[in-house]
Amino acid sequence: MKHLIDPMDLSREETDEILVLAQDIIADREKYRDLMAHRKLATLFYEPSTRTRLSFTSAMMELGGNVLGFSDAKNSSVSKGETVRDTIRVVGCFADIIAMRHSLEGSPLVAAEVSEVPIINAGDGSHSHPTQTLTDLLTITRELGGIDGITIGFCGDLRFGRTVHSLIKALSRYSGINVVLIAPDELRLPDYIKQDVCDKMGIRYKETSELDEVLPELDVLYMTRVQKERFLDEDEFDRVKDSFVLDARRMSLAKSRMAVLHPLPRVNEILTEVDDDPRAAYFRQVENGKFVRMALICKLLEWKDSPEHSMPQGEAPLLDSALHCSNLKCICNSEKVPPRFRRTPGGVTRCWYCDSKVK
């Protein structure tokens, strides 16, 4: 069974297939309007979403398919205590493919372990967001003509920003990528991404807290919202919420062909005066998300039973009853799933579900 839980579940070739198909859909939407006729997508959104949920719904409808599911877990059997595993087993009886968003990190992985239909991770906590990653890759391709060799700056919340974590993973498959990490100390990129992805895959990166200083060298500026809902300490949030704001003055420092991306929603990190700048690609990025999700749905159902497109086989999980994941937002601390772990090449033990370091 082929699922999309993490960007690395797709090979570079599979990713490129999806991007090529998305561009063909853009060129000839009529050709694909009945491709998913009589197929059903279930959207299980355990936490609020506008863009991603509507993007999936619109994608399936444009392919001629049907959509069912829920946009609030309070309106489902989850409110009665039903587990992720049981919900997936039930919904899999009604749908051909499932897209799920959950606040508990690792939930889509648990879902995939029991599902009889493909699972798409539409975001799990601050962990991963692979369909946003495909959206970002398609947007970069369309804005700049390609991905290899770009210099991309990630600005704002790099600590909790699942879109940032996922995109850096995906970019590790491309050549000549340079990453600039622009964040205050409290919101810097987690060490496990720097060690397990950047260092391991040879991505060149540097860290700074000065946006103006690095803007002239960027091909892509990826802005992010400082996410209040990810903070346990409101005082800490108040200290960093206005760390970086992109305005017309700062845009004057950038290359004439730089692309500004943002996963949205924004608060005040990009002023509206930037919206009419031709380099502001974030609303075009939203539409690209629909097209790439159309392509992803088609490909996952095409690959569903293909041995050539099975899930990547990594090392077996480490089972150790003496170890415990300390991440309160990990599914292993909320539902009865077996605690499992993995050892990184550097010898660090991390949770199998959420990648948190085990102390």
Side-chain angles (χ1 to χ4, degrees):
M1 181 71 66
K2 187 70 174 181
H3 307 284
L4 179 58
I5 309 303
D6 183 271
M8 304 305 273
D9 292 336
L10 298 173
S11 67
R12 165 74 188 265
E13 292 71 27
E14 289 170 335
T15 299
D16 288 344
E17 275 192 59
I18 292 168
L19 298 181
V20 168
L21 178 57
Q23 291 175 88
D24 194 56
I25 291 171
I26 293 168
D28 188 358
R29 293 162 69 171
E30 184 69 17
K31 182 169 69 173
Y32 296 91
R33 69 185 180 95
D34 293 319
L35 193 62
M36 290 292 116
H38 311 299
R39 296 289 193 104
K40 295 182 287 294
L41 165 73
T43 55
L44 309 184
F45 278 67
Y46 290 75
E47 68 173 4
S49 169
T50 302
R51 276 148 300 280
T52 304
R53 183 173 60 83
L54 293 181
S55 182
F56 270 111
T57 299
S58 179
M60 193 60 167
M61 291 174 70
E62 287 212 22
L63 291 167
N66 298 299
V67 182
L68 53 99
F70 56 78
S71 59
D72 186 343
K74 294 177 182 177
N75 298 326
S76 74
S77 291
V78 175
S79 63
K80 303 175 185 178
E82 185 172 64
T83 65
V84 166
R85 288 185 174 200
D86 283 359
T87 297
I88 293 299
R89 285 189 173 105
V90 170
V91 175
C93 298
F94 310 135
D96 299 290
I97 188 168
I98 296 172
M100 67 176 293
R101 168 169 289 188
H102 207 295
S103 59
L104 294 178
E105 297 169 17
S107 297
L109 178 58
V110 169
E113 290 172 346
V114 299
S115 182
E116 297 293 327
V117 301
I119 297 290
I120 301 173
N121 179 6
D124 61 327
S126 59
H127 184 227
S128 188
H129 198 349
T131 64
Q132 181 65 49
T133 298
L134 291 172
T135 299
D136 300 338
L137 294 176
L138 178 61
T139 303
I140 293 169
T141 299
R142 296 189 73 196
E143 295 293 319
L144 300 180
I147 299 170
D148 291 315
I150 65 167
T151 296
I152 179 169
F154 293 97
C155 181
D157 183 359
L158 313 189
R159 176 184 174 190
F160 297 108
R162 60 190 170 197
T163 59
V164 173
H165 303 169
S166 293
L167 183 52
I168 290 176
K169 285 183 179 181
L171 289 173
S172 71
R173 295 270 177 78
Y174 294 83
S175 62
I177 301 297
N178 295 290
V179 170
V180 182
L181 304 169
I182 311 155
D185 290 342
E186 297 92 335
L187 295 176
R188 293 208 167 191
L189 191 72
D191 287 341
Y192 83 89
I193 298 289
K194 288 183 280 190
Q195 295 165 2
D196 297 357
V197 181
C198 297
D199 293 341
K200 180 181 176 182
M201 301 300 290
I203 293 181
R204 294 184 293 272
Y205 69 92
K206 65 180 180 180
E207 295 182 279
T208 182
S209 58
E210 298 298 328
L211 176 57
D212 289 16
E213 184 180 291
V214 297
L215 257 175
E217 65 191 77
L218 303 181
D219 300 304
V220 178
L221 174 60
Y222 198 101
M223 296 294 293
T224 64
R225 171 176 63 95
V226 177
Q227 304 173 79
K228 184 176 183 179
E229 64 269 27
R230 305 295 178 205
F231 280 81
L232 298 177
D233 183 342
E234 191 165 337
D235 289 338
E236 184 180 0
F237 168 75
D238 288 337
R239 282 196 300 273
V240 300
K241 64 181 180 180
D242 297 321
S243 296
F244 301 98
V245 176
L246 185 65
D247 56 16
R249 181 194 67 79
R250 280 183 158 147
M251 288 297 290
S252 70
L253 303 174
K255 291 180 179 180
S256 60
R257 206 185 168 199
M258 182 189 74
V260 180
L261 275 62
H262 192 305
L264 302 179
R266 66 174 166 185
V267 183
N268 65 339
E269 62 277 5
I270 301 179
L271 298 188
T272 55
E273 65 189 42
V274 177
D275 293 353
D276 292 331
D277 190 303
R279 294 168 292 181
Y282 31 90
F283 292 119
R284 296 191 291 274
Q285 186 181 357
V286 172
E287 188 173 29
N288 287 334
K290 177 184 68 176
F291 295 124
V292 88
R293 289 180 176 101
M294 291 172 71
L296 175 64
I297 290 167
C298 294
K299 284 299 180 181
L300 284 183
L301 288 173
E302 175 189 328
W303 296 336
K304 179 175 180 288
D305 299 313
S306 170
E308 297 178 5
H309 296 281
S310 57
M311 294 295 283
Q313 297 299 310
E315 60 184 87
L318 171 66
L319 305 177
D320 189 337
S321 59
L323 297 176
H324 176 72
C325 175
S326 60
N327 179 8
L328 298 178
K329 294 186 177 181
C330 179
I331 192 169
C332 73
N333 287 315
S334 297
E335 295 194 4
K336 291 182 179 179
V337 298
R340 296 185 291 178
F341 307 91
R342 65 181 180 87
R343 288 251 165 82
T344 68
V348 176
T349 301
R350 297 194 181 278
C351 176
W352 185 262
Y353 303 101
C354 71
D355 286 315
S356 292
K357 184 177 180 180
V358 178
K359 299 179 180 179

